[in-house]
Amino acid sequence: MSDNTQDIIKEAAAAAAVGTSLFSTFDIVMLVILFGAAVWWLYSSRKESKKDDLLLSNYAIQPAGSIQVTENSFIKKLQSSGRSLVVFYGSQTGTGEEFAGRLAKEGIRYKMKGMVADPEECDMEELTKLKDIPNSLAVFCLATYGEGDPTDNAMDFIEWLKNEPDLTGLNYAVFGLGNKTYEHYNAVAIYVDKRMEELGATRVYELGLGDDDANIEDDFITWKDKFWPSVCEKYNIESTGEEELTRQFRLVSHAPEEFKPNEIFTGEIARLHSLQNQRPPFDAKNPFLAQIVVNRELHKGGDRSCLHVELNISDSNMRYEAGDHVAVYPINNSNLVDRLGQLTGADLDEVFSLINTDQESTKKHPFPCPTSYRTALSHYVEITAMPRTHILRELVEYCSDEEDKKKLLLMATNSQEGKALYQSFVVDACRNIVHILEDIKSCKPQLDHLCELLPRLQPRYYSISSSPKLYPETIHVTAVVVKYKTPTGRINKGVTTTWLAENIPEPDKPFPRVPVYIRKSQFRLPLQSQTPILMVGPGTGLAPFRGFLQERAYARAQGRPVGDTVLYFGCRHRDQDYIYQEELEEFERNGDVTLNVAFSRDQSHKIYVTHLLEKNLDQIWDIIGKRNGHFYICGDAKNMAVDVRNIVIKAIQEIGGRTETEAAQFLKKLESMKKYSADVWS
């Protein structure tokens, strides 16, 4: 193999075997005694300082240097500021939080002053007391991701709802953010909406379901335009008229001498100097700055590019398992950043802060401040995404040409004409904020306002393509470089993959670094290595299965029994984009995998993995129906995953002898037992 994987497998297995014989029974007994003594000492010392710890635990260090009691009571905040509307969000990519902010802001038009709240930062048991505030309303904007999972910040809230709290008297509404290409479409929002009613709460308006595969912005606008009239009817209130365009954050421009260079954020996610002075644990708010030690091209020809990247995590104390994801924080293209500075006439090196005008909000800034405009556009705001309609509405105020105003205003409306124009001008044409300002020439917004309006730049997630059994100190990433021509003739590029493609290690130079953290997954190999598995992963869908294959080969090298391992892989051409070809064929020669490979464009008619899979219905049923095996899919959710699922259903019916209903129930049971797992994207 090109990277000596088989040698690594043998060495790792040998090392593991040696490790098991290093300790005698006496050594183990002594280690247990020493460990017990250490635990007793720690418990005693912590008991003495428990009072001090309790006193300190209620305080948090504030940026200004003063010490204040942290407050997680949203009820007190509502009462002290005369509000009655609270909008909670469960957000993984920022869209749910954005929608929550828009709803809270619109509440002013309906005499319902609102606040946005993160359930992770609130005492959600206070929902039982919300009814004590007159005309109160709780709205939930909740995203679903993965296999019907809640977002990280909504997990505890979902668990709390299972504890039978009495929500009698609580008024609520729910809007869900999901994607119809996924099996568990909007599962979290559907559960919360139903569960709240079961617990005695009163639904003010019907559940809204947003589909990110279609037009989630349209879904949200359509829902909220009917939601507000229901609220008015429920509370006997009326709209105050036209919306008020009020800013949530105020600008503070800083003189050069106001801050020392080491007091200004330069790309850190939360803590100042966190990228210079690294300390664990590493997570979304405190990523690890990993070295890029390997960055090579996997494609052998053609006009596309696929990268194999290896990230060094040896100094991080981070641990991963095969099937986990690595989150990579990207940096926006410098040419786009410079162009945005030109279009707004701003000095990109000017240092500024955006400060929340709502003093009760826990979110003091939209991103770390103080910082420069260049840093904000490079690290903190999303400038390559297509702007949503509320941004276009705000841009109207910066147009000097009446036709430009009318165009933007129309796209911001909920009319059929406005929706059609937004679809063609923004969505179909793939215009980002730079393109819109280039084409709506009289629009000259303030850059600080754009920084407030644009969503926060989010990390990109990649399935890890290695096993820690072989590579405990590196994470491998397999990623196609995104690059395409738009209908306007522009070239759009993926944020992260473009940045990665430009950062290749060079001899005698420091390794490039990138902020990362590990996100745990439910996409796991069976606990018993002898359990047979079948994997379907065309293109970069192969990534997690490369880790699975390494792990099964490692188990075999250790002398453990390993069940049948079947892989279906597909690409366009054998001689161009057959990634990891040498490794896969070596695994096959060693008996570690049965390969089924489809090359869609190497013949006159296209052949996909689904064509190969459909010819082997007996094999599918043998693994999942007769031998208690596991079935895995990774890749495109919209077409491939749906087709594969239908083929599995067909195998259960035709070979397993089940009816259509019984086959669907059988597959649902496999899913609930984690024997049918999908790691898909759209």
Side-chain angles (χ1 to χ4, degrees):
M1 282 190 186
S2 58
D3 63 352
N4 299 316
T5 302
Q6 289 300 322
D7 292 337
I8 295 171
I9 290 170
K10 291 173 184 175
E11 289 172 10
V18 170
T20 58
S21 62
L22 285 177
F23 299 104
S24 67
T25 303
F26 176 76
D27 293 329
I28 293 169
V29 170
M30 289 302 296
L31 283 170
V32 169
I33 293 171
L34 288 169
F35 178 77
V39 169
W40 177 85
W41 181 83
L42 283 169
Y43 175 77
S44 301
S45 60
R46 290 186 73 175
K47 196 172 181 182
E48 290 296 318
S49 61
K50 191 174 182 182
K51 290 182 181 178
D52 292 338
D53 290 342
L54 285 171
L55 286 171
L56 290 170
S57 67
N58 289 326
Y59 291 85
I61 298 174
Q62 303 299 315
S66 62
I67 297 180
Q68 301 174 2
V69 178
T70 57
E71 182 60 79
N72 64 352
S73 171
F74 68 87
I75 291 288
K76 287 182 180 178
K77 290 176 182 177
L78 290 172
Q79 290 172 332
S80 64
S81 56
R83 306 175 203 223
S84 57
L85 169 66
V86 56
V87 190
F88 296 98
Y89 64 87
S91 183
Q92 202 74 15
T93 63
T95 308
E97 182 180 1
E98 177 198 313
F99 285 178
R102 289 163 67 177
L103 280 174
K105 189 175 180 180
E106 286 185 17
I108 299 172
R109 292 172 59 191
Y110 301 92
K111 300 175 184 176
M112 293 190 81
K113 194 177 177 185
M115 67 174 278
V116 178
D118 180 346
E120 190 175 38
E121 297 178 359
C122 295
D123 179 2
M124 295 306 285
E125 289 188 18
E126 288 194 330
L127 276 178
T128 59
K129 303 174 186 176
L130 188 58
K131 62 186 176 184
D132 297 334
I133 297 178
N135 294 332
S136 58
L137 173 62
V139 182
F140 300 85
C141 294
L142 301 172
T144 300
Y145 90 101
E147 296 186 48
D149 302 315
T151 58
D152 294 342
N153 74 314
M155 282 184 179
D156 291 342
F157 168 57
I158 301 300
E159 287 301 311
W160 176 75
L161 284 179
K162 297 174 183 177
N163 296 335
E164 303 289 334
D166 181 9
L167 298 182
T168 304
L170 172 69
N171 296 314
Y172 79 96
V174 180
F175 182 82
L177 297 88
N179 189 309
K180 275 188 178 174
T181 60
Y182 290 77
E183 177 65 21
H184 305 279
Y185 174 60
N186 264 313
V188 173
I190 292 168
Y191 169 77
V192 170
D193 180 66
K194 182 182 177 184
R195 185 61 177 156
M196 299 283 277
E197 185 178 46
E198 291 172 349
L199 296 171
T202 301
R203 186 186 293 107
V204 170
Y205 185 61
E206 66 186 38
L207 169 66
L209 298 178
D211 179 15
D212 197 36
D213 185 53
N215 189 335
I216 200 167
E217 171 76 7
D218 188 15
D219 295 334
F220 176 65
I221 292 173
T222 301
W223 177 82
K224 74 180 179 66
D225 282 356
K226 294 178 181 177
F227 160 77
W228 284 119
S230 290
V231 171
C232 290
E233 184 180 348
K234 167 75 176 176
Y235 295 98
N236 194 27
I237 55 179
E238 293 181 2
S239 169
T240 57
E242 286 300 312
E243 61 182 319
E244 290 184 38
L245 297 180
T246 55
R247 289 194 55 175
Q248 185 182 348
F249 297 90
R250 62 181 176 88
L251 170 67
V252 176
S253 297
H254 301 296
E257 66 276 4
E258 192 172 340
F259 290 100
K260 296 176 182 176
N262 63 0
E263 296 174 330
I264 298 168
F265 284 92
T266 56
E268 300 92 334
I269 306 304
R271 178 175 59 86
L272 194 63
H273 307 310
S274 61
L275 297 177
Q276 291 83 8
N277 303 315
Q278 295 257 276
R279 56 175 184 257
F282 297 106
D283 54 27
K285 294 181 180 178
N286 182 37
F288 176 69
L289 202 57
Q291 291 178 331
I292 300 174
V293 292
V294 174
N295 190 346
R296 60 183 172 87
E297 178 62 52
L298 289 173
H299 285 179
K300 300 166 187 172
D303 56 359
R304 298 180 306 143
S305 171
C306 184
L307 303 176
H308 171 85
V309 178
E310 296 182 17
L311 307 170
N312 186 344
I313 59 166
S314 59
D315 297 327
S316 69
N317 292 328
M318 292 194 299
R319 300 289 180 266
Y320 74 95
E321 295 181 62
D324 282 343
H325 301 121
V326 59
V328 178
Y329 278 98
I331 300 173
N332 281 315
N333 185 279
S334 60
N335 292 330
L336 275 182
V337 170
D338 290 339
R339 183 66 177 135
L340 205 45
Q342 293 168 3
L343 290 166
T344 57
D347 176 6
L348 293 181
D349 296 317
E350 181 183 345
V351 176
F352 73 109
S353 293
L354 291 176
I355 301 172
N356 204 322
T357 55
D358 179 2
Q359 295 182 352
E360 296 294 332
S361 175
T362 56
K363 188 175 183 179
K364 303 304 180 188
H365 313 281
F367 43 75
C369 293
T371 190
S372 70
Y373 285 110
R374 187 179 304 280
T375 297
L377 295 178
S378 300
H379 296 273
Y380 296 142
V381 296
E382 181 67 80
I383 62 175
T384 60
M386 293 175 282
R388 301 195 191 279
T389 57
H390 73 288
I391 296 178
L392 303 185
R393 175 63 188 89
E394 300 275 358
L395 291 180
V396 171
E397 307 305 312
Y398 294 102
C399 292
S400 56
D401 181 85
E402 286 301 316
E403 290 303 313
D404 286 347
K405 283 186 178 182
K406 288 177 183 177
K407 187 173 187 175
L408 287 172
L409 198 56
L410 180 60
M411 286 191 285
T413 66
N414 199 28
S415 67
Q416 289 304 313
E417 186 184 0
K419 289 179 180 180
L421 182 58
Y422 177 79
Q423 180 68 33
S424 62
F425 186 77
V426 179
V427 179
D428 295 342
C430 303
R431 281 184 170 93
N432 59 39
I433 187 64
V434 173
H435 304 153
I436 287 172
L437 294 183
E438 285 178 338
D439 294 344
I440 309 280
K441 299 187 184 302
S442 78
C443 188
K444 303 293 181 184
Q446 295 175 207
L447 186 52
D448 65 281
H449 197 184
L450 270 188
C451 289
E452 174 184 330
L453 291 171
L454 293 171
R456 184 82 182 261
L457 184 61
Q458 299 294 327
R460 272 49 172 181
Y461 297 100
Y462 297 94
S463 299
I464 295 175
S465 56
S466 55
S467 165
K469 296 286 194 297
L470 271 64
Y471 302 100
E473 296 188 341
T474 57
I475 285 174
H476 296 188
V477 174
T478 308
V480 168
V481 178
V482 177
K483 184 179 180 181
Y484 60 94
K485 191 172 185 177
T486 73
T488 65
R490 296 177 170 100
I491 302 297
N492 280 1
K493 299 177 181 180
V495 179
T496 309
T497 53
T498 299
W499 185 88
L500 286 173
E502 295 170 350
N503 283 270
I504 299 172
E506 297 181 42
D508 303 320
K509 288 186 178 180
F511 288 112
R513 290 177 178 265
V514 61
V516 302
Y517 68 93
I518 293 166
R519 185 174 75 177
K520 293 298 177 182
S521 167
Q522 298 296 317
F523 202 70
R524 290 280 183 265
L525 277 168
L527 292 175
Q528 304 297 324
S529 61
Q530 63 264 40
T531 303
I533 64 172
L534 192 157
M535 306 169 288
V536 183
T540 54
L542 174 62
F545 302 139
R546 180 174 180 261
F548 283 10
L549 288 173
Q550 290 174 358
E551 200 137 315
R552 304 272 277 196
Y554 170 83
R556 183 185 59 79
Q558 276 195 304
R560 290 161 54 195
V562 177
D564 288 347
T565 303
V566 181
L567 172 67
Y568 285 80
F569 171 74
C571 60
R572 294 181 182 181
H573 303 282
R574 176 186 286 273
D575 61 352
Q576 290 185 11
D577 55 348
Y578 187 178
I579 60 175
Y580 301 116
Q581 178 182 356
E582 294 81 7
E583 289 185 23
L584 293 178
E585 291 175 351
E586 182 78 8
F587 279 129
E588 186 175 43
R589 281 193 294 272
N590 291 335
D592 292 316
V593 69
T594 301
L595 274 181
N596 301 270
V597 186
F599 304 103
S600 63
R601 304 186 186 185
D602 273 354
Q603 57 285 312
S604 58
H605 61 288
K606 291 183 179 179
I607 299 176
Y608 296 111
V609 288
T610 47
H611 293 126
L612 302 185
L613 194 63
E614 198 162 18
K615 292 179 180 178
N616 292 316
L617 299 184
D618 286 299
Q619 181 189 61
I620 296 171
W621 177 248
D622 178 57
I623 289 177
I624 66 172
K626 292 182 179 179
R627 294 197 285 150
N628 206 28
H630 287 223
F631 193 103
Y632 301 92
I633 310 170
C634 184
D636 167 49
K638 192 170 186 177
N639 299 306
M640 184 275 296
V642 174
D643 293 342
V644 169
R645 186 182 184 85
N646 290 334
I647 291 169
V648 173
I649 291 280
K650 185 178 180 181
I652 298 169
Q653 285 182 256
E654 295 185 8
I655 313 301
R658 305 294 205 274
T659 66
E660 185 177 350
T661 303
E662 289 170 342
Q665 290 174 343
F666 184 87
L667 191 54
K668 288 281 186 186
K669 186 177 180 182
L670 290 182
E671 286 180 312
S672 67
M673 298 170 69
K674 303 297 182 186
K675 292 183 178 180
Y676 184 94
S677 302
D679 181 3
V680 293
W681 56 85
S682 62

